[in-house]
Amino acid sequence: MAATPKAAVECNVGPIRFLPGPNRGRYPHCHSVYVEGAGVLIDPASDRERLTRLRDEEGVREVWLSHWHEDHFAHLDLFPDAIVRIHPADAPPLADLEVLMDWYGMDEPENRSLRERWAEYIVSGFHFRPRPESELSFFAPNEEIGLFPGLSARVLHVPGHTPGHVAFFFPEPSVLFLSDYDLTPFGPWYADPASSLTRTIASVRALQAVPARRWIPAHDGGVLTEAPPALWDAYIEVPLSRERKILDFLSEPRSVDDIADLWLVYRKPREPLDFYRWAERATAKKHLKRLAERGLAVCEKGLWRRA
Ligand SMILES: [Zn+2]
């Protein structure tokens, strides 16, 4: 079991201001960060009223997105005049709602209704407005950004959760914004078509090696004042133990639906059922592909078994 990290509900570390999202920043919310003196807001999907006040009273010059997911851009529409920066690999879904839906991989015929409902929710619940590439600015690979004398930000490209996921390290106050490598007991999400569990694990280990003294995940907890090795190990163990269970289960030929029926991600059926089934299937398919690549599983006539 992971050691329980110490967490503060809200705190500033030097000019780095933690803006907690509602309900501990759980989906559909996240935590935001505001860099005082620089007017930089990271992941504008925390409290909408608070972000509106921040814009009106203190000003937001730039919005930085850690990645393309809706629970990180939900209130981006409040900042039409701000420079919006993202890694170029994550730009396509922001430009087009249909591309965004494609990036979720809801392309099977049985998911047509889910896709339509989900697209409506992205617009109504997350205020999606298309942002073509011409309206975005891009982070350069591992860019170091001077914010003002005595404060810089390193943009760390940590793909896996999404291809263009970035984390932000502020070396002077030793603060690392982890975004969705959030060290929660739920573990990482790697079920999008362009997600990779293998790259997720490499990115988590890369983030673990950053010499930070405060860690800010985008969900749950708060500002972590310690992040012991056991916490990182437990986070990676979530998908790895899932994968071991799947490999055990493949002692008999199994379909993707058989694996989804195990509810290895959400533990039990939840509503809306078609959404959670889709997530279980997408996750199962990711593991099966990884097992096949390593020569541990094969598929014959739609059924998977151990190699
Ligand atoms: Zn995400």
Side-chain angles (χ1 to χ4, degrees), residues 26 34 53 74 103 120 123 132 177 182 209 231 246 285 304:
R26 291 193 175 144
Y34 182 67
R53 278 203 311 278
W103 278 46
E120 280 176 23
V123 174
F177 180 70
D182 55 16
L231 186 64
I246 290 173
K285 285 192 272 188
W304 288 83

Side-chain angles (χ1 to χ4, degrees), residues 67 69 71-72 161-162 165 180 189 219:
H67 62 296
H69 282 157
D71 55 323
H72 295 254
H161 179 71
T162 64
H165 190 291
D180 267 1
W189 170 269
H219 302 283

Side-chain angles (χ1 to χ4, degrees), residues 120-134:
E120 280 176 23
Y121 183 42
I122 295 291
V123 174
S124 63
F126 298 93
H127 314 98
F128 177 85
R129 308 285 181 274
R131 292 254 182 177
E133 286 198 8
S134 59

Side-chain angles (χ1 to χ4, degrees), residues 61-83:
R61 203 165 52 83
E62 295 196 17
V63 174
W64 295 358
L65 295 174
S66 63
H67 62 296
W68 67 269
H69 282 157
E70 69 283 355
D71 55 323
H72 295 254
F73 70 60
H75 308 305
L76 181 59
D77 64 303
L78 293 174
F79 308 95
D81 301 324
I83 294 166

Side-chain angles (χ1 to χ4, degrees), residues 110-285:
E110 67 265 30
N111 286 329
R112 185 167 300 279
S113 151
L114 173 62
R115 180 177 170 125
E116 286 172 6
R117 288 188 346 260
W118 189 249
E120 280 176 23
Y121 183 42
I122 295 291
V123 174
S124 63
F126 298 93
H127 314 98
F128 177 85
R129 308 285 181 274
R131 292 254 182 177
E133 286 198 8
S134 59
E135 293 179 16
L136 299 169
S137 295
F138 297 121
F139 296 118
N142 299 313
E143 182 176 358
E144 179 136 0
I145 301 170
L147 291 163
F148 52 77
L151 186 70
S152 57
R154 279 183 208 150
V155 182
L156 310 176
H157 182 210
V158 277
H161 179 71
T162 64
H165 190 291
V166 290
F168 301 104
F169 181 49
F170 300 91
E172 289 86 359
S174 283
V175 175
L176 177 59
F177 180 70
L178 297 161
S179 194
D180 267 1
Y181 300 106
D182 55 16
L183 302 179
T184 59
F186 181 77
W189 170 269
Y190 45 89
D192 299 352
S195 301
S196 160
L197 174 55
T198 303
R199 284 199 292 270
T200 291
I201 292 169
S203 288
V204 170
R205 290 306 187 197
L207 290 169
Q208 184 179 2
V210 174
R213 285 189 287 118
R214 294 286 186 278
W215 298 262
I216 305 181
H219 302 283
D220 261 33
V223 179
L224 307 184
T225 55
E226 59 176 29
L231 186 64
W232 301 84
D233 292 347
Y235 187 67
I236 288 173
E237 179 58 16
V238 173
L240 292 183
S241 75
R242 200 176 279 155
E243 193 156 280
R244 287 195 301 272
K245 284 176 191 159
I246 290 173
L247 192 56
D248 280 350
F249 192 56
L250 297 184
S251 56
E252 304 279 333
R254 311 284 189 184
S255 67
V256 172
D257 278 319
D258 291 336
I259 298 168
D261 284 340
L262 299 175
W263 292 95
L264 293 174
V265 180
Y266 293 100
R267 299 178 190 276
K268 61 180 181 183
R270 293 171 192 265
E271 293 294 336
L273 189 61
D274 57 354
F275 173 82
Y276 288 103
R277 280 289 295 188
W278 160 79
E280 292 286 344
R281 282 175 52 87
T283 305
K285 285 192 272 188

